[in-house]
């Protein structure tokens, strides 16, 4: 039975368990929030009520109530904009601002800061309280995430992302009173913790306390170095998100405009990580079929996501035999660029700079891992996020929405629809199934849409029949869900042949380096739909049918799973448990 109440004199009926904030949203009454963070499709509803910006007056109660965490009750009468509530909010905001740096113009979240936006909405144009401010050293220890605790407002949204959604357990409240912040225990640098650098804390943070390590200037420097040939690769999920940074609606596929913009920025070659995604499928599917035939080391776990791989190394090192040994598409691309492409183009590998544009902050960390370099030459030199690329395009004065549609360069720019869907949870597994089905059946099958592994659900299971062979598969996104699945495997409660795992809920389309969605999961749904539309539009939709991939094996690698392919395209994992 629904609960009936009134907000500002307007009657509203809501389901049991709803909050005052949810009831107000139903009436389209806006109550300001800061610490509240909700993502419906991932069942995330952070209600710490730590900031109290959302306080309202409830008839018959002596104290103001935080709307985000106060349950609606039958017959309740709520007033959102009484003078008492407005004064309380202004005082709270004044106090937050009094202990916050005033460097908004150079803050990485300038114009994306919810504290800044709230001050503007509430018309705060001068500081009421002036006094001491807390100060901490900036943490730039990792290759991926920058931490500026001077800007922490103790909203604890990052704590929810790290502990509840991802179950990594790195962040928690440290200190008391004026000196309280959210940080690793003992204020350790992130590089000295079990952080997997997924960047979900950066997506959740409403201010500039968490941001990515910025590599735009090293890219500019490389582009202007006449001794360097600079090539760029763009990940699948970038093309369905970068348009948002230029006012395009969520779900816009901006591949052609992005390619043109990259050429205008000065890149010598514009390539596609999708090429390497197809290459990944060749190696990973070969490994899958070999394991199924031998019955050993099952289930095979996908290895494309560096955040998930690092999570496994820290949290489940006893299972490091399970992931595919195939490198991620980013690293495969770097390895092929500095060998195969370098030879064809007549360029010395040391004079090649490979730049990646990724939706993921953990890719910055991955590129710097020691095993992904040979003779002191890194496979991938610089990684920037979707947001950083958008910044560079704006800095160059490029009018993104007016650009012509460009085409990727050959040979590392040719790809298939199977590669495009790597950007969505379930996409890697579906791409592998398309190739596995053909190889097992020995023919070019026409039914290639494995819809059972699609969607934003955190854990999906499916049984797939391929030419009489039934494969039990699972898809998992979000590390909290990965933990549940791996614990079931350890207990013998789950039986699969293949599992895809992505660190970020929803997959790469929700990566820590994507344009901020502030919890609006309709944006993520539209990005997901765009990836599958793009897949459908491709003339070739199976990785092994990519002509450039076929030539790569014929001219250079031999065959999938060959000794040379293993040397160049495979890796090993490290037990990182302390």
């Amino acid at each position: 039975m629904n609960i009936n109440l009134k907000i500002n004199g307007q009657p509203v009926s809501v389901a049991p368990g709803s909050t005052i904030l949810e009831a107000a949203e139903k009436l389209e009454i806006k109550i300001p929030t800061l610490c509240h963070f909700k993502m419906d499709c991932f069942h995330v509803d952070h209600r710490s009520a730590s900031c109290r910006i959302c306080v309202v007056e409830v008839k018959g109660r002596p104290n103001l109530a935080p709307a985000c965490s106060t349950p609606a009750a039958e017959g309740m009468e709520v007033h959102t904009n009484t003078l008492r509530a407005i004064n309380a909010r202004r005082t709270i905001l004044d106090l937050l601002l009094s202990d916050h740096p005033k460097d908004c113009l150079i803050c990485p979240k300038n114009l994306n800061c919810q504290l800044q936006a709230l001050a503007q909405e509430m018309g705060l144009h001068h500081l009421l309280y002036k006094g001491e401010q807390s100060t901490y050293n900036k943490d730039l220890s990792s290759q991926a995430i920058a931490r500026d605790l001077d800007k922490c407002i103790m909203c604890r949204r990052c704590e929810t992302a790290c502990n509840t959604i991802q179950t990594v357990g790195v962040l928690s409240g440290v200190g008391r009173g004026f000196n309280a912040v959210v940080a690793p225990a003992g204020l350790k640098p992130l590089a000295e913790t079990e952080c997997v650098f997924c960047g979900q804390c950066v997506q959740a943070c409403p201010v500039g306390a968490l941001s990515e390590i910025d590599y735009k200037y090293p890219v500019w420097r490389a582009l202007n170095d006449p001794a360097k040939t600079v090539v760029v690769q763009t990940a699948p999920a970038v093309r369905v998100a970068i348009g948002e940074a230029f006012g395009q609606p969520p779900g816009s596929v901006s591949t052609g405009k992005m390619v043109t913009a990259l050429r205008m920025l000065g890149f010598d070659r514009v390539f596609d990580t999708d090429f390497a995604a197809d290459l990944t499928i060749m190696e990973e599917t070969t490994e899958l079929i070999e394991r199924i035939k031998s019955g050993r080391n099952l289930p095979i776990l996908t290895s494309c996501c560096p955040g998930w791989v690092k999570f496994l190394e820290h949290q489940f090192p006893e299972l490091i035999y399970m992931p595919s040994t195939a490198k991620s598409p980013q690293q495969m691309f770097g390895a092929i660029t500095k060998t195969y492409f370098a030879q064809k183009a007549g360029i010395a590998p040391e004079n090649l700079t490979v730049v990646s544009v990724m939706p993921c902050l953990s890719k910055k960390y991955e590129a710097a891992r020691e095993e992904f370099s040979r003779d002191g030459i890194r496979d991938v030199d610089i990684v920037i996020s979707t947001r950083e690329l958008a910044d560079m395009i704006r800095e160059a004065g490029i009018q993104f929405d007016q650009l012509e549609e460009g085409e990727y360069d050959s040979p590392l720019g040719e790809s298939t629809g199977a590669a495009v869907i790597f950007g969505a949870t379930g996409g890697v597994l579906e791409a592998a199934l398309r190739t596995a089905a053909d190889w097992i059946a020995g023919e070019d099958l026409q039914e290639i849409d494995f819809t059972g592994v699609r969607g934003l659900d955190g854990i999906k299971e499916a049984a797939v029949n391929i030419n009489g062979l039934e494969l039990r598969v699972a898809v998992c996104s979000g590390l909290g869900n990965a933990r549940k699945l791996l614990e079931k495997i350890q207990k013998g409660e789950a039986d699969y042949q293949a599992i895809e795992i992505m660190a970020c809920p929803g997959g790469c389309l929700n990566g820590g380096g994507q344009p901020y969605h502030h919890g609006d999961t309709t944006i993520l749904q539209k990005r997901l739909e765009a990836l599958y539309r793009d897949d459908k539009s491709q003339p070739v939709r199976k990785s092994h049918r990519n002509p450039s991939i076929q030539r790569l094996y014929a001219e250079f690698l031999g065959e999938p799973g060959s000794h040379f392919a293993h040397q160049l395209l495979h890796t090993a994992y490290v037990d990182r448990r302390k």
Side-chain angles (χ1 to χ4, degrees):
M1 178 177 268
N2 277 2
I3 293 169
N4 300 293
L5 65 156
K6 289 184 178 180
I7 301 180
N8 296 344
Q10 299 182 54
V12 61
S13 181
V14 294
S18 299
T19 62
I20 292 174
L21 181 63
E22 290 167 330
E25 288 171 349
K26 196 169 182 181
L27 289 170
E28 297 186 354
I29 294 172
K30 184 177 180 181
I31 299 173
T33 62
L34 194 55
C35 69
H36 183 246
F37 187 69
K38 188 175 183 179
M39 297 177 70
D40 288 326
C41 66
F42 304 128
H43 310 292
V44 175
D45 193 354
H46 175 68
R47 303 181 182 184
S48 69
S50 57
C51 74
R52 319 301 272 197
I53 285 289
C54 66
V55 290
V56 294
E57 199 160 357
V58 179
K59 185 177 180 180
R61 296 193 183 186
N63 299 322
L64 295 173
C68 72
S69 63
T70 302
E74 184 67 32
M76 181 181 273
E77 293 185 30
V78 179
H79 295 278
T80 66
N81 289 317
T82 64
L83 185 61
R84 184 185 177 200
I86 290 172
N87 283 339
R89 289 180 202 148
R90 283 178 166 271
T91 300
I92 291 163
L93 189 55
D94 274 323
L95 289 169
L96 284 172
L97 292 172
S98 73
D99 186 30
H100 201 78
K102 312 303 182 290
D103 60 351
C104 295
L105 292 176
I106 56 172
C107 177
K109 286 198 175 173
N110 184 28
L111 302 182
N112 271 305
C113 172
Q114 289 172 276
L115 181 65
Q116 183 186 57
L118 197 55
Q120 177 65 26
E121 286 175 17
M122 294 176 66
L124 267 66
H125 301 303
H126 66 277
L127 295 177
L128 186 61
Y129 305 112
K130 298 177 182 179
E132 184 180 353
Q133 291 188 3
S134 53
T135 57
Y136 300 86
N137 293 325
K138 288 184 181 179
D139 177 11
L140 305 175
S141 62
S142 77
Q143 295 87 0
I145 296 175
R147 192 162 52 96
D148 185 354
L149 291 182
D150 290 2
K151 296 180 180 178
C152 178
I153 59 171
M154 279 297 286
C155 68
R156 310 189 84 143
R157 283 162 55 157
C158 63
E159 188 178 354
T160 293
C162 185
N163 300 345
T164 304
I165 301 173
Q166 301 294 64
T167 67
V168 175
V170 166
L171 299 176
S172 61
V174 176
R176 297 179 66 83
F178 181 71
N179 294 315
V181 291
V182 178
L187 299 180
K188 279 185 180 179
L190 284 176
E192 296 177 16
T193 71
E194 295 181 357
C195 178
V196 301
F197 309 118
C198 65
Q200 288 304 301
C201 59
V202 177
Q203 277 284 358
C205 179
V207 293
L210 290 161
S211 60
E212 65 256 54
I213 300 284
D214 192 326
Y215 291 103
K216 294 192 295 286
Y217 188 71
V219 176
W220 283 123
R221 196 165 52 217
L223 289 171
N224 287 277
D225 184 346
K228 295 290 186 181
T229 298
V230 187
V231 306
V232 64
Q233 61 168 317
T234 62
V238 175
R239 69 205 66 203
V240 296
I242 189 155
E244 295 168 24
F246 301 97
Q248 293 185 355
S252 300
V253 181
S254 306
T255 313
K257 292 182 185 299
M258 177 179 64
V259 168
T260 300
L262 289 163
R263 284 212 179 86
M264 293 175 71
L265 288 175
F267 287 99
D268 296 299
R269 299 284 196 286
V270 181
F271 291 139
D272 197 355
T273 312
D274 286 19
F275 169 88
D278 283 333
L279 181 58
T280 300
I281 290 303
M282 300 294 283
E283 294 298 315
E284 199 167 90
T285 305
T286 299
E287 193 176 0
L288 168 63
I289 293 173
E290 287 174 352
R291 291 201 198 181
I292 290 172
K293 287 179 177 178
S294 69
R296 294 196 300 268
N297 296 340
L298 292 173
I300 189 172
L301 309 177
T302 57
S303 55
C304 295
C305 171
W308 139 242
V309 167
K310 192 168 187 286
F311 178 80
L312 181 84
E313 291 176 326
H314 281 295
Q315 308 278 348
F316 294 90
E318 63 276 10
L319 300 181
I320 58 174
Y321 67 91
M322 279 188 176
S324 164
T325 60
K327 292 180 181 178
S328 73
Q330 170 178 264
Q331 298 307 133
M332 282 197 185
F333 178 92
I336 290 298
T337 301
K338 293 199 176 178
T339 52
Y340 175 69
F341 171 75
Q343 289 176 19
K344 289 179 76 73
I347 304 169
E350 59 268 24
N351 293 328
L352 258 178
T353 298
V354 175
V355 176
S356 299
V357 183
M358 293 286 141
C360 168
L361 301 188
S362 196
K363 289 291 182 185
K364 296 171 183 271
Y365 149 79
E366 180 188 42
R369 284 180 65 136
E370 291 182 7
E371 62 266 33
F372 296 136
S373 63
R374 288 166 291 109
D375 302 321
I377 299 174
R378 281 169 52 164
D379 290 339
V380 174
D381 298 285
I382 309 170
V383 181
I384 59 173
S385 67
T386 309
R387 292 191 296 265
E388 288 171 279
L389 175 58
D391 288 344
M392 291 185 69
I393 292 170
R394 280 191 288 262
E395 188 176 354
I398 296 170
Q399 302 301 305
F400 189 83
D401 58 337
Q402 297 176 20
L403 294 177
E404 299 291 330
E405 300 288 321
E407 297 286 340
Y408 285 111
D409 291 310
S410 293
L412 309 187
E414 189 170 13
S415 62
T416 70
V420 171
I421 58 176
F422 266 55
T425 173
V428 177
L429 182 59
E430 181 170 355
L433 290 172
R434 291 178 186 181
T435 291
D438 272 19
W439 285 356
I440 292 171
E443 59 180 296
D444 185 10
L445 300 175
Q446 300 306 304
E447 295 296 325
I448 65 170
D449 292 316
F450 295 91
T451 56
V453 298
R454 296 182 184 179
L456 291 175
D457 290 342
I459 298 177
K460 302 181 286 287
E461 299 173 299
V464 180
N465 190 291
I466 301 176
N467 202 36
L469 174 66
E470 185 170 283
L471 296 182
R472 295 176 301 282
V473 300
V475 172
C476 180
S477 73
L479 293 175
N481 291 320
R483 183 182 295 280
K484 292 175 187 175
L485 205 58
L486 293 176
E487 287 176 348
K488 284 176 67 177
I489 290 170
Q490 285 180 318
K491 295 173 183 176
E493 297 173 357
D495 182 22
Y496 308 104
Q497 278 81 44
I499 299 174
E500 179 203 298
I501 298 180
M502 292 291 172
C504 295
C508 302
L509 57 86
N510 183 31
Q514 293 280 67
Y516 296 113
H517 53 72
H518 302 301
D520 185 352
T521 51
T522 60
I523 292 174
L524 304 183
Q525 182 63 41
K526 289 176 180 177
R527 292 176 187 171
L528 178 82
E529 293 165 0
L531 286 167
Y532 286 104
R533 281 201 316 274
D534 200 8
D535 164 39
K536 281 281 190 183
S537 73
Q538 299 302 315
V540 180
R541 297 180 62 208
K542 299 174 183 177
S543 295
H544 60 288
R545 297 286 180 181
N546 181 339
S548 289
I549 291 292
Q550 293 171 347
R551 282 194 299 273
L552 172 64
Y553 278 100
E555 297 173 1
F556 191 64
L557 293 173
E559 61 182 20
S562 69
H563 178 69
F564 185 40
H566 265 274
Q567 283 184 320
L568 205 58
L569 306 178
H570 290 251
T571 187
Y573 307 108
V574 179
D575 183 343
R576 299 182 188 275
R577 178 167 287 172
K578 294 180 180 178

